Amino acid sequence: MNLHLAEIAATVAPGAHAVLLLDQAGWHLSDRVAVPPNITLAPLPPKCPELNAMENVWQFMRDNWLSNRVFQSYDNIVDHCCDAWNKLTDQPWRIMSIGLRNWAYRS
């Protein structure tokens, strides 16, 4: 988590501040997390997948590429997951539509 936050902090424009929404996984809120000064962590309330767009991304991947399969091995699972992720990242418009919340923006 610390390495991830450091990478994000390095991409925040000088003088800007990032707010990261995250679920309440133990590693997100641990006392050992070193939050850079240009980042604020904003934990979502517990048990609210409707507020966590990443939950919808995972559900889309399961529904379309990963469910109802028998995997032959651990490596086969990893290969299928990587393939699904690569398919999705090749479709940025789909990621935006999955994560879109009408109530979160003004038109």
PDB file of all heavy atoms in Angstrom, residues 70-92:
ATOM      1  N   VAL A  70     -14.227 -23.863 -15.669  1.00  0.00           N
ATOM      2  CA  VAL A  70     -13.422 -24.771 -14.862  1.00  0.00           C
ATOM      3  C   VAL A  70     -11.973 -24.488 -15.229  1.00  0.00           C
ATOM      4  O   VAL A  70     -11.587 -24.587 -16.392  1.00  0.00           O
ATOM      5  CB  VAL A  70     -13.780 -26.252 -15.148  1.00  0.00           C
ATOM      6  CG1 VAL A  70     -12.851 -27.182 -14.391  1.00  0.00           C
ATOM      7  CG2 VAL A  70     -15.232 -26.522 -14.801  1.00  0.00           C
ATOM      8  N   PHE A  71     -11.206 -24.103 -14.244  1.00  0.00           N
ATOM      9  CA  PHE A  71      -9.798 -23.778 -14.484  1.00  0.00           C
ATOM     10  C   PHE A  71      -8.950 -25.018 -14.221  1.00  0.00           C
ATOM     11  O   PHE A  71      -9.208 -25.771 -13.284  1.00  0.00           O
ATOM     12  CB  PHE A  71      -9.359 -22.619 -13.588  1.00  0.00           C
ATOM     13  CG  PHE A  71     -10.121 -21.347 -13.858  1.00  0.00           C
ATOM     14  CD1 PHE A  71     -11.141 -20.936 -13.019  1.00  0.00           C
ATOM     15  CD2 PHE A  71      -9.823 -20.575 -14.967  1.00  0.00           C
ATOM     16  CE1 PHE A  71     -11.852 -19.774 -13.265  1.00  0.00           C
ATOM     17  CE2 PHE A  71     -10.525 -19.408 -15.230  1.00  0.00           C
ATOM     18  CZ  PHE A  71     -11.541 -19.003 -14.380  1.00  0.00           C
ATOM     19  N   GLN A  72      -7.956 -25.195 -15.041  1.00  0.00           N
ATOM     20  CA  GLN A  72      -7.116 -26.389 -14.956  1.00  0.00           C
ATOM     21  C   GLN A  72      -6.044 -26.289 -13.882  1.00  0.00           C
ATOM     22  O   GLN A  72      -5.579 -27.295 -13.367  1.00  0.00           O
ATOM     23  CB  GLN A  72      -6.456 -26.666 -16.318  1.00  0.00           C
ATOM     24  CG  GLN A  72      -7.455 -26.862 -17.445  1.00  0.00           C
ATOM     25  CD  GLN A  72      -8.417 -28.008 -17.170  1.00  0.00           C
ATOM     26  OE1 GLN A  72      -8.027 -29.059 -16.699  1.00  0.00           O
ATOM     27  NE2 GLN A  72      -9.693 -27.781 -17.451  1.00  0.00           N
ATOM     28  N   SER A  73      -5.645 -25.056 -13.563  1.00  0.00           N
ATOM     29  CA  SER A  73      -4.547 -24.879 -12.606  1.00  0.00           C
ATOM     30  C   SER A  73      -4.551 -23.430 -12.125  1.00  0.00           C
ATOM     31  O   SER A  73      -5.263 -22.581 -12.668  1.00  0.00           O
ATOM     32  CB  SER A  73      -3.203 -25.179 -13.278  1.00  0.00           C
ATOM     33  OG  SER A  73      -2.943 -24.233 -14.313  1.00  0.00           O
ATOM     34  N   TYR A  74      -3.722 -23.163 -11.141  1.00  0.00           N
ATOM     35  CA  TYR A  74      -3.556 -21.797 -10.657  1.00  0.00           C
ATOM     36  C   TYR A  74      -3.081 -20.890 -11.791  1.00  0.00           C
ATOM     37  O   TYR A  74      -3.607 -19.800 -11.985  1.00  0.00           O
ATOM     38  CB  TYR A  74      -2.560 -21.778  -9.500  1.00  0.00           C
ATOM     39  CG  TYR A  74      -2.179 -20.386  -9.070  1.00  0.00           C
ATOM     40  CD1 TYR A  74      -3.023 -19.640  -8.250  1.00  0.00           C
ATOM     41  CD2 TYR A  74      -0.990 -19.812  -9.511  1.00  0.00           C
ATOM     42  CE1 TYR A  74      -2.691 -18.354  -7.879  1.00  0.00           C
ATOM     43  CE2 TYR A  74      -0.642 -18.526  -9.137  1.00  0.00           C
ATOM     44  CZ  TYR A  74      -1.499 -17.808  -8.319  1.00  0.00           C
ATOM     45  OH  TYR A  74      -1.161 -16.528  -7.964  1.00  0.00           O
ATOM     46  N   ASP A  75      -2.084 -21.358 -12.554  1.00  0.00           N
ATOM     47  CA  ASP A  75      -1.571 -20.551 -13.662  1.00  0.00           C
ATOM     48  C   ASP A  75      -2.661 -20.265 -14.698  1.00  0.00           C
ATOM     49  O   ASP A  75      -2.708 -19.185 -15.280  1.00  0.00           O
ATOM     50  CB  ASP A  75      -0.383 -21.235 -14.332  1.00  0.00           C
ATOM     51  CG  ASP A  75       0.863 -21.217 -13.469  1.00  0.00           C
ATOM     52  OD1 ASP A  75       0.971 -20.333 -12.581  1.00  0.00           O
ATOM     53  OD2 ASP A  75       1.734 -22.087 -13.662  1.00  0.00           O
ATOM     54  N   ASN A  76      -3.565 -21.225 -14.905  1.00  0.00           N
ATOM     55  CA  ASN A  76      -4.668 -21.032 -15.830  1.00  0.00           C
ATOM     56  C   ASN A  76      -5.607 -19.941 -15.327  1.00  0.00           C
ATOM     57  O   ASN A  76      -6.096 -19.123 -16.109  1.00  0.00           O
ATOM     58  CB  ASN A  76      -5.393 -22.362 -16.020  1.00  0.00           C
ATOM     59  CG  ASN A  76      -6.439 -22.319 -17.101  1.00  0.00           C
ATOM     60  OD1 ASN A  76      -7.619 -22.539 -16.807  1.00  0.00           O
ATOM     61  ND2 ASN A  76      -6.044 -22.067 -18.345  1.00  0.00           N
ATOM     62  N   ILE A  77      -5.858 -19.906 -14.018  1.00  0.00           N
ATOM     63  CA  ILE A  77      -6.688 -18.847 -13.434  1.00  0.00           C
ATOM     64  C   ILE A  77      -6.030 -17.494 -13.644  1.00  0.00           C
ATOM     65  O   ILE A  77      -6.662 -16.534 -14.090  1.00  0.00           O
ATOM     66  CB  ILE A  77      -6.907 -19.090 -11.921  1.00  0.00           C
ATOM     67  CG1 ILE A  77      -7.742 -20.334 -11.702  1.00  0.00           C
ATOM     68  CG2 ILE A  77      -7.566 -17.869 -11.273  1.00  0.00           C
ATOM     69  CD1 ILE A  77      -7.804 -20.781 -10.254  1.00  0.00           C
ATOM     70  N   VAL A  78      -4.738 -17.407 -13.350  1.00  0.00           N
ATOM     71  CA  VAL A  78      -4.010 -16.145 -13.511  1.00  0.00           C
ATOM     72  C   VAL A  78      -4.028 -15.703 -14.966  1.00  0.00           C
ATOM     73  O   VAL A  78      -4.270 -14.525 -15.254  1.00  0.00           O
ATOM     74  CB  VAL A  78      -2.565 -16.272 -12.975  1.00  0.00           C
ATOM     75  CG1 VAL A  78      -1.749 -15.039 -13.325  1.00  0.00           C
ATOM     76  CG2 VAL A  78      -2.576 -16.514 -11.468  1.00  0.00           C
ATOM     77  N   ASP A  79      -3.821 -16.649 -15.883  1.00  0.00           N
ATOM     78  CA  ASP A  79      -3.847 -16.306 -17.314  1.00  0.00           C
ATOM     79  C   ASP A  79      -5.210 -15.751 -17.732  1.00  0.00           C
ATOM     80  O   ASP A  79      -5.288 -14.751 -18.447  1.00  0.00           O
ATOM     81  CB  ASP A  79      -3.509 -17.525 -18.171  1.00  0.00           C
ATOM     82  CG  ASP A  79      -2.048 -17.934 -18.080  1.00  0.00           C
ATOM     83  OD1 ASP A  79      -1.225 -17.117 -17.608  1.00  0.00           O
ATOM     84  OD2 ASP A  79      -1.738 -19.077 -18.472  1.00  0.00           O
ATOM     85  N   HIS A  80      -6.285 -16.392 -17.284  1.00  0.00           N
ATOM     86  CA  HIS A  80      -7.626 -15.909 -17.627  1.00  0.00           C
ATOM     87  C   HIS A  80      -7.892 -14.534 -17.019  1.00  0.00           C
ATOM     88  O   HIS A  80      -8.486 -13.662 -17.666  1.00  0.00           O
ATOM     89  CB  HIS A  80      -8.692 -16.903 -17.153  1.00  0.00           C
ATOM     90  CG  HIS A  80      -8.955 -17.996 -18.116  1.00  0.00           C
ATOM     91  ND1 HIS A  80      -8.163 -19.115 -18.210  1.00  0.00           N
ATOM     92  CD2 HIS A  80      -9.923 -18.135 -19.051  1.00  0.00           C
ATOM     93  CE1 HIS A  80      -8.632 -19.907 -19.147  1.00  0.00           C
ATOM     94  NE2 HIS A  80      -9.703 -19.336 -19.672  1.00  0.00           N
ATOM     95  N   CYS A  81      -7.469 -14.332 -15.781  1.00  0.00           N
ATOM     96  CA  CYS A  81      -7.673 -13.028 -15.136  1.00  0.00           C
ATOM     97  C   CYS A  81      -6.888 -11.938 -15.855  1.00  0.00           C
ATOM     98  O   CYS A  81      -7.412 -10.836 -16.075  1.00  0.00           O
ATOM     99  CB  CYS A  81      -7.277 -13.095 -13.659  1.00  0.00           C
ATOM    100  SG  CYS A  81      -8.428 -14.071 -12.663  1.00  0.00           S
ATOM    101  N   CYS A  82      -5.656 -12.230 -16.213  1.00  0.00           N
ATOM    102  CA  CYS A  82      -4.852 -11.242 -16.950  1.00  0.00           C
ATOM    103  C   CYS A  82      -5.473 -10.942 -18.307  1.00  0.00           C
ATOM    104  O   CYS A  82      -5.515  -9.787 -18.730  1.00  0.00           O
ATOM    105  CB  CYS A  82      -3.415 -11.747 -17.114  1.00  0.00           C
ATOM    106  SG  CYS A  82      -2.459 -11.752 -15.594  1.00  0.00           S
ATOM    107  N   ASP A  83      -5.964 -11.972 -18.974  1.00  0.00           N
ATOM    108  CA  ASP A  83      -6.612 -11.771 -20.268  1.00  0.00           C
ATOM    109  C   ASP A  83      -7.855 -10.896 -20.116  1.00  0.00           C
ATOM    110  O   ASP A  83      -8.068  -9.955 -20.895  1.00  0.00           O
ATOM    111  CB  ASP A  83      -6.986 -13.121 -20.880  1.00  0.00           C
ATOM    112  CG  ASP A  83      -7.594 -12.987 -22.250  1.00  0.00           C
ATOM    113  OD1 ASP A  83      -6.976 -12.345 -23.128  1.00  0.00           O
ATOM    114  OD2 ASP A  83      -8.710 -13.511 -22.452  1.00  0.00           O
ATOM    115  N   ALA A  84      -8.667 -11.174 -19.101  1.00  0.00           N
ATOM    116  CA  ALA A  84      -9.870 -10.367 -18.859  1.00  0.00           C
ATOM    117  C   ALA A  84      -9.493  -8.924 -18.556  1.00  0.00           C
ATOM    118  O   ALA A  84     -10.111  -7.989 -19.071  1.00  0.00           O
ATOM    119  CB  ALA A  84     -10.682 -10.967 -17.708  1.00  0.00           C
ATOM    120  N   TRP A  85      -8.486  -8.732 -17.709  1.00  0.00           N
ATOM    121  CA  TRP A  85      -8.056  -7.369 -17.367  1.00  0.00           C
ATOM    122  C   TRP A  85      -7.573  -6.628 -18.603  1.00  0.00           C
ATOM    123  O   TRP A  85      -7.911  -5.457 -18.819  1.00  0.00           O
ATOM    124  CB  TRP A  85      -6.963  -7.425 -16.308  1.00  0.00           C
ATOM    125  CG  TRP A  85      -6.557  -6.065 -15.853  1.00  0.00           C
ATOM    126  CD1 TRP A  85      -5.417  -5.393 -16.165  1.00  0.00           C
ATOM    127  CD2 TRP A  85      -7.311  -5.177 -15.015  1.00  0.00           C
ATOM    128  NE1 TRP A  85      -5.412  -4.156 -15.566  1.00  0.00           N
ATOM    129  CE2 TRP A  85      -6.559  -4.005 -14.859  1.00  0.00           C
ATOM    130  CE3 TRP A  85      -8.543  -5.279 -14.382  1.00  0.00           C
ATOM    131  CZ2 TRP A  85      -7.016  -2.931 -14.094  1.00  0.00           C
ATOM    132  CZ3 TRP A  85      -8.987  -4.207 -13.627  1.00  0.00           C
ATOM    133  CH2 TRP A  85      -8.217  -3.050 -13.493  1.00  0.00           C
ATOM    134  N   ASN A  86      -6.785  -7.297 -19.444  1.00  0.00           N
ATOM    135  CA  ASN A  86      -6.274  -6.658 -20.659  1.00  0.00           C
ATOM    136  C   ASN A  86      -7.402  -6.318 -21.632  1.00  0.00           C
ATOM    137  O   ASN A  86      -7.377  -5.268 -22.272  1.00  0.00           O
ATOM    138  CB  ASN A  86      -5.221  -7.539 -21.325  1.00  0.00           C
ATOM    139  CG  ASN A  86      -3.927  -7.555 -20.538  1.00  0.00           C
ATOM    140  OD1 ASN A  86      -3.595  -6.606 -19.830  1.00  0.00           O
ATOM    141  ND2 ASN A  86      -3.199  -8.655 -20.623  1.00  0.00           N
ATOM    142  N   LYS A  87      -8.407  -7.201 -21.729  1.00  0.00           N
ATOM    143  CA  LYS A  87      -9.571  -6.888 -22.579  1.00  0.00           C
ATOM    144  C   LYS A  87     -10.253  -5.620 -22.069  1.00  0.00           C
ATOM    145  O   LYS A  87     -10.644  -4.757 -22.858  1.00  0.00           O
ATOM    146  CB  LYS A  87     -10.574  -8.036 -22.555  1.00  0.00           C
ATOM    147  CG  LYS A  87     -10.188  -9.227 -23.376  1.00  0.00           C
ATOM    148  CD  LYS A  87     -11.282 -10.282 -23.264  1.00  0.00           C
ATOM    149  CE  LYS A  87     -10.871 -11.577 -23.911  1.00  0.00           C
ATOM    150  NZ  LYS A  87     -11.887 -12.632 -23.701  1.00  0.00           N
ATOM    151  N   LEU A  88     -10.414  -5.543 -20.758  1.00  0.00           N
ATOM    152  CA  LEU A  88     -11.105  -4.386 -20.199  1.00  0.00           C
ATOM    153  C   LEU A  88     -10.293  -3.107 -20.365  1.00  0.00           C
ATOM    154  O   LEU A  88     -10.835  -2.070 -20.734  1.00  0.00           O
ATOM    155  CB  LEU A  88     -11.422  -4.622 -18.724  1.00  0.00           C
ATOM    156  CG  LEU A  88     -12.280  -3.550 -18.075  1.00  0.00           C
ATOM    157  CD1 LEU A  88     -13.643  -3.451 -18.752  1.00  0.00           C
ATOM    158  CD2 LEU A  88     -12.435  -3.820 -16.600  1.00  0.00           C
ATOM    159  N   THR A  89      -8.998  -3.154 -20.121  1.00  0.00           N
ATOM    160  CA  THR A  89      -8.192  -1.936 -20.245  1.00  0.00           C
ATOM    161  C   THR A  89      -8.075  -1.464 -21.690  1.00  0.00           C
ATOM    162  O   THR A  89      -7.753  -0.302 -21.927  1.00  0.00           O
ATOM    163  CB  THR A  89      -6.787  -2.103 -19.627  1.00  0.00           C
ATOM    164  OG1 THR A  89      -6.096  -3.177 -20.277  1.00  0.00           O
ATOM    165  CG2 THR A  89      -6.883  -2.356 -18.129  1.00  0.00           C
ATOM    166  N   ASP A  90      -8.362  -2.361 -22.643  1.00  0.00           N
ATOM    167  CA  ASP A  90      -8.412  -1.953 -24.049  1.00  0.00           C
ATOM    168  C   ASP A  90      -9.717  -1.233 -24.382  1.00  0.00           C
ATOM    169  O   ASP A  90      -9.908  -0.779 -25.499  1.00  0.00           O
ATOM    170  CB  ASP A  90      -8.268  -3.166 -24.971  1.00  0.00           C
ATOM    171  CG  ASP A  90      -6.843  -3.688 -25.030  1.00  0.00           C
ATOM    172  OD1 ASP A  90      -5.911  -2.946 -24.658  1.00  0.00           O
ATOM    173  OD2 ASP A  90      -6.664  -4.853 -25.447  1.00  0.00           O
ATOM    174  N   GLN A  91     -10.627  -1.131 -23.395  1.00  0.00           N
ATOM    175  CA  GLN A  91     -11.932  -0.505 -23.595  1.00  0.00           C
ATOM    176  C   GLN A  91     -12.158   0.578 -22.531  1.00  0.00           C
ATOM    177  O   GLN A  91     -13.032   0.437 -21.674  1.00  0.00           O
ATOM    178  CB  GLN A  91     -13.036  -1.548 -23.493  1.00  0.00           C
ATOM    179  CG  GLN A  91     -12.895  -2.693 -24.462  1.00  0.00           C
ATOM    180  CD  GLN A  91     -13.935  -3.769 -24.211  1.00  0.00           C
ATOM    181  OE1 GLN A  91     -15.074  -3.483 -23.838  1.00  0.00           O
ATOM    182  NE2 GLN A  91     -13.551  -5.001 -24.424  1.00  0.00           N
ATOM    183  N   PRO A  92     -11.390   1.667 -22.566  1.00  0.00           N
ATOM    184  CA  PRO A  92     -11.531   2.679 -21.518  1.00  0.00           C
ATOM    185  C   PRO A  92     -12.940   3.257 -21.419  1.00  0.00           C
ATOM    186  O   PRO A  92     -13.391   3.610 -20.335  1.00  0.00           O
ATOM    187  CB  PRO A  92     -10.509   3.751 -21.898  1.00  0.00           C
ATOM    188  CG  PRO A  92     -10.146   3.489 -23.309  1.00  0.00           C
ATOM    189  CD  PRO A  92     -10.387   2.032 -23.559  1.00  0.00           C
TER     190      PRO A  92
END
